Amino acid sequence: MFILSVAPLTKISLPNPQTLIYFSSRQLKIGSIVLISLKNRDIAGVVISNEKLIPSRKIHLKKTANFTLRKIKKILCAKPFLQKWQIEIAIEMAKYYYEPLGLFLQLFFPKIITKKMFFKNYLFKQNEFTHQKQKIIFQAYDFNKEVLLHQIQQNPGVTLFLTPDIIAAKNWSNYLKNFSNTVLIYSKLSPQKKLQSWQTSQKLTKGVIVGTKTALWYLNSKVNLIILYNANSDYFKSWDQHPKYDARTALKIFNQKLGIKVLLVDQVLGSHFISLKNHQKKEFIAPYQFIKLKDNDSLINEEKIFSEALQENLNKIINTKKRALLYLNKKGYAKVVLCKNCGFVPKCNRCFLSLHLQDNHLICHICQKIDNAFNFCPKCKGHNFGYFQLGGEFIYKKIKENFPQLKIFKFDLNNALTNKKQLEIIKEFYASSPAVLIGTSLLFKITPDFYPPVDLAVVLNIDYDLFFPDYNAKEKTYLNLLKLNSLSQKLIIQSFQDFLEQFDFNEELTLRKMMKYPPFYKIVKLTLVAKKMNLLPRAKMLFDVLSEAVKLCIKKFNLTENDIILQGPLKKISKKNLSYNIIMKFSLNSFKYKNKLLQLIPVKADIDVEPKTIL
């Protein structure tokens, strides 16, 4: 008889054990698939380890075990369906992101296989990775497709080409299939097409696997180059579906485990990859025209957004039959507070983040401090703080009224929810002139590799991005401006501030280190949500439990108070249900202890390691 440790291919809520013990009369290899009984359901599971049960231990188990050892119901695939390296990566990812192991194991193959239980029908000859360890390489690119094509053609094996979104994946697939065998993989494929793409990718010995982060899990042992295109994009981090993970962190784990060369491709190096390069200078976005929206007489209102420069340039677009992009970041759940007299934006003197308005008080979302220092504006001595309201619908109506000759397209999630609709709008926009595309960050799905630069790009109000109350707002603003600059021949930036400071990575990193933010600390966000329940008592109870646990953890592992920091409970800024966040900051030295704290959580909470935002 043999004792098997089996990981069920389903979600088992943490902190419950992720592997279960069964016995079998037959010895099975690691990676084999068996059918097991779990809570009166038949579930497929992966054999993680096996051990022959000697007679003396069998007698000992019968006497001492407080559980009944269950037998597997059936062998679904006697040969290893998953390789050892796949299991090791899944275990490491599950531990890092505190997610169920079964969810990560399932990423390595289409769900239709689990559903139909036909594992042995899809066995492929897989070899272990034998690459020498390669370092992750950063390369800034000039949007030249031929440069990346050359990298791919020089690669003797398979290249995995990851893009942040489906539109980019389709564009690159259509381009690369003219030069090599290409497989396209993304999450929205139908189950049958995803199965076909997976089968093709597993047999590929020379060519390219192109796709979103889903494709990362479909690599085979012939992959010896991974290209991460638009590496700074937040689309590489999952936020709404489990398992939640960041493909950029996953790539570091793949690189360490398998030795695959990774090429990071983007215009500049963001803080995600800060360990790869030292920044010694300020970063400039050039050329651009800066427009100060505030005059000296009237209050700030949404009409100010239509500056003389904007109107003049839109008239030029009409006269020359060109195209323009109008960018508006409308994160409605976190509006920027400013002085309507002069444009001054108040910030917390503890957290250095923008304050928000609540019950006629200016409050810091992070430390919850009600800042009485801003009873009046320190710049103009007035007291007229408020939100500057500006929406895409208002912009659309005003342009339609004042520039009837322009064909106007709206490009946000209200008007272009699906990738199919987004592609339709982009194609129609480029087929029209004169035309203007009003969009949010969806605009960055238009890449200069496949779309010609438009004549004009306008940031209608950069204050929305620059003063968004999140620790990484400044860097994201800079990266967005770089993208807009590459998409246009002329860039106009409008603001209610007197000038636009150039982004200085050294200053940014100094501030982040002082405030204990990434890349010097790792963040875990806990979110409690309920529709009809008073959440605050539960949130406070969770915070108290974690506070006591942190004290014990610090004492036990000889840490300091700065190694693990709790903030909260913080009322989440959202247009949907009322919810509360608790933010946990871990130093790089203490991050390995996070799971010991997370497994103590007594209430249901959504756990997000390395969240896209702390709000």
Side-chain angles (χ1 to χ4, degrees):
M1 189 168 77
F2 297 87
I3 300 294
L4 306 178
S5 177
V6 179
L9 290 171
T10 188
K11 178 182 177 180
I12 299 180
S13 298
L14 292 162
N16 295 313
Q18 298 298 296
T19 57
L20 305 173
I21 306 301
Y22 293 85
F23 75 88
S24 169
S25 59
R26 179 178 170 183
Q27 185 175 14
L28 293 171
K29 293 183 178 180
I30 294 172
S32 304
I33 307 294
V34 295
L35 189 68
I36 57 176
S37 179
L38 181 66
K39 293 183 178 180
N40 300 320
R41 289 191 304 149
D42 287 345
I43 299 289
V46 181
V47 176
I48 302 298
S49 67
N50 62 78
E51 179 187 354
K52 188 173 183 180
L53 188 62
I54 57 176
S56 59
R57 191 175 175 207
K58 185 175 181 181
I59 296 170
H60 177 73
L61 277 174
K62 283 184 178 180
K63 290 181 178 179
T64 60
N66 57 1
F67 61 91
T68 302
L69 198 61
R70 293 160 290 183
K71 184 180 181 180
I72 62 170
K73 300 193 75 171
K74 186 179 179 181
I75 299 173
L76 296 175
C77 187
K79 294 181 179 180
F81 183 78
L82 290 180
Q83 302 302 306
K84 186 178 179 182
W85 61 267
Q86 292 174 312
I87 295 171
E88 288 177 352
I89 285 175
I91 291 172
E92 180 121 4
M93 289 290 289
K95 180 182 177 182
Y96 188 96
Y97 285 103
Y98 196 71
E99 289 276 18
L101 175 60
L103 295 185
F104 274 108
L105 288 169
Q106 286 187 95
L107 293 177
F108 285 106
F109 54 89
K111 287 183 180 179
I112 192 173
I113 296 177
T114 310
K115 192 173 182 180
K116 294 188 175 182
M117 301 286 188
F118 290 157
F119 291 91
K120 62 183 179 182
N121 295 352
Y122 300 105
L123 278 174
F124 298 98
K125 185 179 179 181
Q126 287 276 14
N127 300 315
E128 288 294 324
F129 281 84
T130 56
H131 308 312
Q132 291 184 349
K133 286 199 172 181
Q134 301 275 345
K135 290 183 178 180
I136 296 177
I137 299 172
F138 173 80
Q139 176 174 318
Y141 73 109
D142 58 357
F143 305 108
N144 189 334
K145 297 192 293 291
E146 287 71 26
V147 172
L148 292 180
L149 176 62
H150 178 73
Q151 292 277 350
I152 292 168
Q153 290 178 328
Q154 291 297 307
N155 181 26
V158 176
T159 300
L160 178 62
F161 194 101
L162 297 180
T163 69
D165 59 81
I166 295 172
I167 290 176
K170 287 182 175 180
N171 285 333
W172 276 103
S173 176
N174 290 334
Y175 172 69
L176 292 172
K177 70 183 180 184
N178 297 316
F179 306 97
S180 62
N181 294 329
T182 303
V183 186
L184 177 63
I185 297 170
Y186 56 90
S187 59
K188 299 294 183 182
L189 285 174
S190 67
Q192 198 59 45
K193 285 186 177 180
K194 191 179 286 187
L195 177 62
Q196 292 170 0
S197 295
W198 175 75
Q199 287 178 287
T200 306
S201 70
Q202 298 307 293
K203 297 174 184 176
L204 203 62
T205 57
K206 170 71 177 175
V208 191
I209 301 171
V210 183
T212 56
K213 63 179 181 294
T214 301
L216 173 63
W217 306 92
Y218 287 8
L219 56 73
N220 62 41
S221 58
K222 298 298 181 182
V223 173
N224 50 15
L225 172 64
I226 300 176
I227 296 176
L228 192 67
Y229 174 75
N230 271 355
N232 289 318
S233 174
D234 274 345
Y235 285 108
F236 285 116
K237 173 67 168 73
S238 52
W239 59 276
D240 59 341
Q241 291 183 333
H242 291 274
K244 291 183 178 181
Y245 67 95
D246 194 315
R248 293 163 293 196
T249 299
L251 272 180
K252 293 177 185 178
I253 294 173
F254 275 70
N255 174 261
Q256 292 165 2
K257 289 282 184 184
L258 308 177
I260 303 175
K261 178 181 176 182
V262 178
L263 188 63
L264 305 173
V265 180
D266 214 320
Q267 293 161 282
V268 297
L269 187 64
S271 58
H272 271 282
F273 315 107
I274 210 65
S275 60
L276 306 179
K277 181 180 176 183
N278 293 320
H279 296 280
Q280 302 294 337
K281 60 181 182 179
K282 291 186 178 182
E283 300 286 348
F284 293 91
I285 304 139
Y288 68 88
Q289 181 182 355
F290 181 77
I291 304 296
K292 181 183 175 183
L293 295 171
K294 179 70 182 78
D295 56 38
N296 297 322
D297 301 322
S298 56
L299 292 177
I300 290 174
N301 60 64
E302 57 188 10
E303 296 287 342
K304 298 286 184 183
I305 213 75
F306 287 93
S307 63
E308 290 183 8
L310 175 59
Q311 296 179 56
E312 181 182 321
N313 278 276
L314 288 179
N315 279 320
K316 285 182 181 178
I317 293 294
I318 293 169
N319 295 334
T320 55
K321 298 187 183 304
K322 300 289 186 178
R323 302 176 190 88
L325 302 175
L326 301 186
Y327 170 67
L328 175 66
N329 183 353
K330 54 173 190 174
K331 292 187 175 80
Y333 59 89
K335 299 170 186 174
V336 173
V337 176
L338 49 67
C339 172
K340 289 194 172 184
N341 293 328
C342 66
F344 172 78
V345 177
K347 291 184 179 181
C348 177
N349 54 16
R350 291 182 185 176
C351 304
F352 299 97
L353 298 180
S354 302
L355 302 176
H356 68 280
L357 201 59
Q358 184 175 316
D359 300 325
N360 293 320
H361 292 289
L362 290 171
I363 299 177
C364 176
H365 175 70
I366 301 303
C367 70
Q368 303 290 286
K369 179 186 175 186
I370 299 176
D371 204 323
N372 295 317
F374 293 106
N375 282 335
F376 63 90
C377 175
K379 185 177 179 182
C380 69
K381 309 304 179 185
H383 181 70
N384 196 7
F385 289 111
Y387 296 125
F388 175 75
Q389 304 285 352
L390 185 65
E393 195 62 36
F394 169 78
I395 298 294
Y396 175 82
K397 288 179 179 177
K398 292 293 289 184
I399 292 178
K400 194 171 184 179
E401 289 173 9
N402 298 321
F403 304 95
Q405 305 96 320
L406 281 171
K407 189 164 185 180
I408 310 168
F409 299 88
K410 290 184 282 188
F411 200 55
D412 54 40
L413 289 178
N414 292 328
N415 300 282
L417 183 58
T418 64
N419 282 283
K420 182 179 178 181
K421 182 65 175 175
Q422 290 164 14
L423 270 172
E424 288 174 0
I425 292 174
I426 292 171
K427 287 179 180 178
E428 193 176 351
F429 168 68
Y430 273 96
S432 307
S433 65
V436 62
L437 184 64
I438 306 168
T440 57
S441 57
L442 284 184
L443 288 176
F444 305 134
K445 290 191 175 185
I446 303 173
T447 56
D449 303 271
F450 296 99
Y451 301 97
V454 299
D455 189 66
L456 175 69
V458 182
V459 183
L460 293 170
N461 182 13
I462 198 172
D463 301 349
Y464 277 174
D465 282 62
L466 200 57
F467 300 111
F468 188 71
D470 208 350
Y471 73 91
N472 50 14
K474 208 169 184 179
E475 181 188 17
K476 285 185 177 180
T477 302
Y478 165 66
L479 296 174
N480 288 345
L481 291 178
L482 279 179
K483 291 175 183 176
L484 283 172
N485 195 48
S486 67
L487 289 172
S488 63
Q489 295 177 6
K490 181 178 181 180
L491 176 62
I492 293 178
I493 301 173
Q494 299 191 145
S495 172
F496 287 106
Q497 308 307 304
D498 294 332
F499 59 92
L500 177 64
E501 289 184 2
Q502 292 295 340
F503 182 65
D504 189 325
F505 266 115
N506 287 328
E507 289 180 4
E508 175 73 7
L509 292 174
T510 299
L511 183 60
R512 289 202 194 183
K513 189 173 185 179
M514 181 177 70
M515 299 307 299
K516 300 175 177 55
Y517 282 121
F520 307 100
Y521 275 67
K522 292 184 181 291
I523 292 177
V524 178
K525 181 170 73 171
L526 313 178
T527 304
L528 286 81
V529 184
K531 290 183 179 180
K532 299 180 180 179
M533 187 182 298
N534 184 3
L535 271 179
L536 187 55
R538 295 176 68 211
K540 287 182 177 178
M541 181 266 288
L542 174 56
F543 185 84
D544 292 341
V545 169
L546 288 174
S547 295
E548 291 302 315
V550 166
K551 290 177 184 177
L552 293 174
C553 188
I554 288 173
K555 185 176 181 180
K556 182 176 180 180
F557 299 108
N558 296 319
L559 303 173
T560 70
E561 291 183 355
N562 286 326
D563 282 317
I564 306 176
I565 299 168
L566 288 182
Q567 293 177 328
L570 312 173
K571 188 176 180 181
K572 187 175 180 180
I573 302 175
S574 174
K575 293 186 289 186
K576 297 181 180 179
N577 301 325
L578 173 66
S579 55
Y580 285 89
N581 289 335
I582 292 174
I583 304 298
M584 306 178 73
K585 295 180 181 179
F586 293 88
S587 67
L588 302 183
N589 181 50
S590 67
F591 185 68
K592 57 190 173 186
Y593 302 119
K594 75 176 187 312
N595 290 4
K596 295 182 181 296
L597 297 174
L598 295 178
Q599 66 186 6
L600 300 175
I601 295 175
V603 295
K604 187 176 180 180
D606 183 74
I607 299 171
D608 192 357
V609 178
E610 297 179 333
K612 289 171 69 170
T613 174
I614 57 174
L615 300 185

